[in-house]
Amino acid sequence: NYGVHQWISHQFLHGGITHLLFNMIALFSFGPMIEKYFGKDFIWFYLISGLGAALLQFLFVPDTALLGASGAIFGVLMVYAILYPNSKILLFFVIPIKSKWLMSAILGLEVYLGFFGESDGIGHLAHLGGAITGFLYFMTTKKVK
């Protein structure tokens, strides 16, 4: 059983230095553009994306334990792909791919692994929940550019 605070606090704990490092690299790489878009509301967007991540994971896997910012990061990645769909990202630091195609492939993989993959200790549905929540937050608060 989780306490109310854990719906948010899980986003600030990680399963090791590698887990933390990859999440922070993604936040450092894509977060500033999304923070610029949302302004002072970025923190709400980020926390709500993480909350949506936890919610989807618990809907399908109620006895799970969540740890990490990955769900909130997926919200950031989703909005980045919407705002900058043709921006090129270097996959594996070598292969250039447009953000819209990379995010589409990642989401497809998360759906497959979340619903059909074997349990690997990764919250694939949390990743998906963060992306969906980030998308919904973006769509309901869209700003005119």
Side-chain angles (χ1 to χ4, degrees), residues 7-137:
W7 286 92
I8 298 295
S9 65
H10 79 271
Q11 299 177 53
F12 299 98
L13 304 169
H14 286 80
I17 192 70
T18 306
H19 186 205
L20 177 64
L21 183 65
F22 278 105
N23 278 331
M24 294 306 101
I25 288 171
L27 185 60
F28 180 77
S29 299
F30 303 103
M33 284 79 72
I34 307 311
E35 182 183 15
K36 184 177 180 183
Y37 176 82
F38 283 119
K40 63 180 172 45
D41 293 330
F42 176 78
I43 189 66
W44 292 114
F45 158 75
Y46 186 85
L47 293 174
I48 289 169
S49 291
L51 184 60
L55 184 62
L56 190 66
Q57 183 74 24
F58 281 117
L59 281 174
F60 287 94
V61 191
D63 60 341
T64 192
L66 286 180
L67 195 63
S70 303
I73 298 296
F74 266 75
V76 170
L77 296 174
M78 174 61 90
V79 173
Y80 182 86
I82 293 168
L83 292 175
Y84 307 100
N86 295 314
S87 169
K88 291 203 176 154
I89 297 170
L90 292 177
L91 181 63
F92 306 116
F93 305 104
V94 179
I95 305 164
I97 184 169
K98 290 183 178 182
S99 65
K100 64 184 174 186
W101 301 125
L102 181 59
M103 193 62 189
S104 297
I106 290 170
L107 289 176
L109 184 61
E110 293 297 338
V111 167
Y112 174 77
L113 293 172
F115 288 106
F116 307 109
E118 293 183 26
S119 178
D120 59 4
I122 296 172
H124 297 290
L125 294 175
H127 296 164
L128 191 58
I132 292 168
T133 307
F135 172 78
L136 293 173
Y137 189 98

